[in-house]
């Protein structure tokens, strides 16, 4: 599994824990939870509100910062079902590594800090939650409809509970 992590947040002390290990733990946990039958690759960018605002506006036409953005590289017929990846003509795999290309995750550290305070839990828990949330988007899940929202929330809760990351 290839997980490229870039932290461009200006205050490197804002997350006073091993955030890289936490990101890897949640990603690997999500890969096992779903489960994804392939070796995969994805990119994670930690940034601030200004940059995530710019990206949100550019790619989604939403002129405000958000907590996390997910850019899946795979179109799913059924969320979490990878059966179609080898034979539907999508370029799902990196030709150089053979790994499944899941996509990109962008997380605002400003929002991690703010939301941890608002929800009364740790920065670790908030970062883990946003990562889990985004991983399920990369697996094709969404929360636009009530039934979809319930499925996604249950998966996020179960994954974090399984990983021992509690409120």
């Amino acid at each position: 599994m290839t997980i490229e992590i870039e932290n461009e947040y200006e205050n490197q002390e804002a997350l006073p824990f091993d955030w890289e290990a936490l990101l890897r733990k949640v990603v690997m946990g999500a890969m096992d939870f779903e489960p994804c039958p392939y070796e995969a690759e994805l990119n994670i960018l930690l940034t601030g509100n200004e940059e995530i605002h710019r990206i949100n506006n550019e790619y989604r036409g939403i002129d405000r910062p958000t907590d996390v953005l997910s850019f899946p590289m795979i179109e799913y017929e059924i969320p979490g079902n990878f059966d179609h990846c080898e034979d539907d003509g999508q370029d799902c795999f990196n030709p150089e590594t053979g790994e499944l290309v899941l996509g990109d995750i962008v997380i605002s550290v400003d929002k991690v800090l703010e939301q941890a305070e608002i929800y009364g839990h740790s920065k670790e828990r908030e970062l883990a939650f946003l990562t889990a949330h985004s991983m399920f988007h990369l697996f094709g899940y969404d929360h636009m409809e009530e039934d979809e929202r319930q499925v996604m929330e249950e998966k996020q809760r179960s994954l974090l509970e399984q990983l021992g990351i509690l409120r």
Side-chain angles (χ1 to χ4, degrees), residues 45-162:
L45 172 64
L46 299 179
T47 191
N49 278 347
E50 186 176 317
E51 179 62 7
I52 208 165
H53 182 165
R54 184 193 68 73
I55 296 167
N56 201 23
N57 195 22
E58 180 178 338
Y59 289 95
R60 299 178 63 222
I62 299 175
D63 192 15
R64 67 177 192 278
T66 188
D67 51 6
V68 64
L69 292 169
S70 309
F71 297 98
M73 296 299 292
I74 301 168
E75 291 182 32
Y76 296 86
E77 296 170 26
I78 301 168
N81 184 328
F82 301 92
D83 292 346
H84 68 287
C85 291
E86 288 188 49
D87 49 39
D88 76 349
Q90 286 191 69
D91 292 330
C92 296
F93 297 91
N94 180 330
E96 293 177 16
T97 65
E99 291 181 315
L100 184 68
V101 181
L102 288 175
D104 300 315
I105 296 171
V106 182
I107 298 172
S108 168
V109 175
D110 291 321
K111 291 289 186 184
V112 168
L113 303 175
E114 176 185 322
Q115 291 174 181
E117 176 93 14
I118 289 169
Y119 298 124
H121 55 236
S122 69
K123 297 169 189 172
E124 293 95 329
R125 200 288 180 177
E126 186 63 22
L127 182 60
F129 170 80
L130 294 176
T131 305
H133 180 84
S134 195
M135 285 300 295
F136 287 112
H137 277 309
L138 296 187
F139 294 149
Y141 292 92
D142 209 344
H143 46 80
M144 299 303 282
E145 304 293 329
E146 180 61 21
D147 58 331
E148 294 173 334
R149 182 190 63 76
Q150 289 175 356
V151 167
M152 196 162 164
E153 284 182 2
E154 177 58 26
K155 287 184 173 290
Q156 292 165 174
R157 187 197 59 72
S158 295
L159 170 61
L160 292 176
E161 188 175 280
Q162 188 176 42

